[in-house]
Amino acid sequence: MTEIAVSVLLGSRTDWETMKEAAQVLKRLGVPFEVRVLSAHRTPEALVEYVKEAEKRGVRVFIAGAGGAAHLAGVIAAHTLLPVIGVPMPTSLAGGLDSVLSMLPMPAGVPVAVVSVGKAGATNGGLLAAQILALSDPDLRERLRHLREERARAILGEPALSVD
Ligand code: RP5
């Protein structure tokens, strides 16, 4: 896999601290990706242009992190048939529940796969994108399996908990 397979989109640069978890897991799995900041509200035309151009270049999955009035993933999904994964950002208004409620209730016909809020969601967004690509890439499936086993081993190897 050499061409960019996953596009990681951020509604704002301020989402990077959270969304870099998605980038890190993709890097770890050897999945070529790119990261762009484009907003459904602040740069609407540029966003649509980018989605169409990225699809032509061979991008196969979009991961969109946005917070608050989080319409980024839905707008991307409206302009492509590629899978779109939405990662709701934590916010100060309602802890990110506002982001979830903006992102989740897509109308029938235009799906967005919404994962959890924040860093866990960003990690799972990266993993889910890799799992989609692994449907046609057995080597990537192996790398995913190793990563999951490694995480299980780390938990099983932790020292026992006790009280003084
Ligand atoms: C959303 O608004 C972004 O995804 C971000 O989570 C939120 C706040 O953006 P900034 O005001 O920090 O740029 O569009």
Side-chain angles (χ1 to χ4, degrees):
M1 210 188 299
T2 49
E3 63 187 15
I4 300 296
V6 177
S7 166
V8 179
L9 284 166
L10 284 57
S12 167
R13 236 184 152 76
T14 58
D15 299 327
W16 179 235
E17 183 54 32
T18 305
M19 287 303 291
K20 71 180 171 201
E21 303 290 330
Q24 269 159 2
V25 81
L26 290 169
K27 186 172 177 187
R28 169 79 199 274
L29 289 164
V31 174
F33 66 94
E34 65 187 17
V35 183
R36 294 281 186 281
V37 178
L38 284 164
S39 162
H41 305 120
R42 291 165 172 159
T43 63
E45 287 94 0
L47 172 63
V48 173
E49 262 172 48
Y50 169 79
V51 169
K52 292 180 175 168
E53 175 268 326
E55 184 164 351
K56 280 191 198 132
R57 260 194 292 128
V59 163
R60 293 169 66 195
V61 184
F62 290 96
I63 305 174
H71 300 140
L72 181 62
V75 171
I76 295 168
H79 290 91
T80 183
L81 289 174
L82 293 172
V84 180
I85 300 164
V87 186
M89 294 298 103
T91 67
S92 53
L93 178 67
L97 185 58
D98 47 341
S99 314
V100 174
L101 293 177
S102 299
M103 199 176 273
L104 190 68
M106 288 296 291
V110 188
V112 168
V114 180
V115 291
S116 192
V117 177
K119 290 188 174 182
T123 298
N124 282 345
L127 287 171
L128 185 54
Q131 287 177 204
I132 291 168
L133 296 170
L135 288 170
S136 57
D137 185 339
D139 292 343
L140 177 55
R141 197 188 340 246
E142 268 308 285
R143 296 199 291 280
L144 276 159
R145 198 170 60 76
H146 282 140
L147 181 58
R148 197 173 280 198
E149 285 171 358
E150 187 184 296
R151 289 187 169 166
R153 271 198 305 275
I155 292 168
L156 296 172
E158 281 168 4
L161 298 167
S162 62
V163 286
D164 294 328

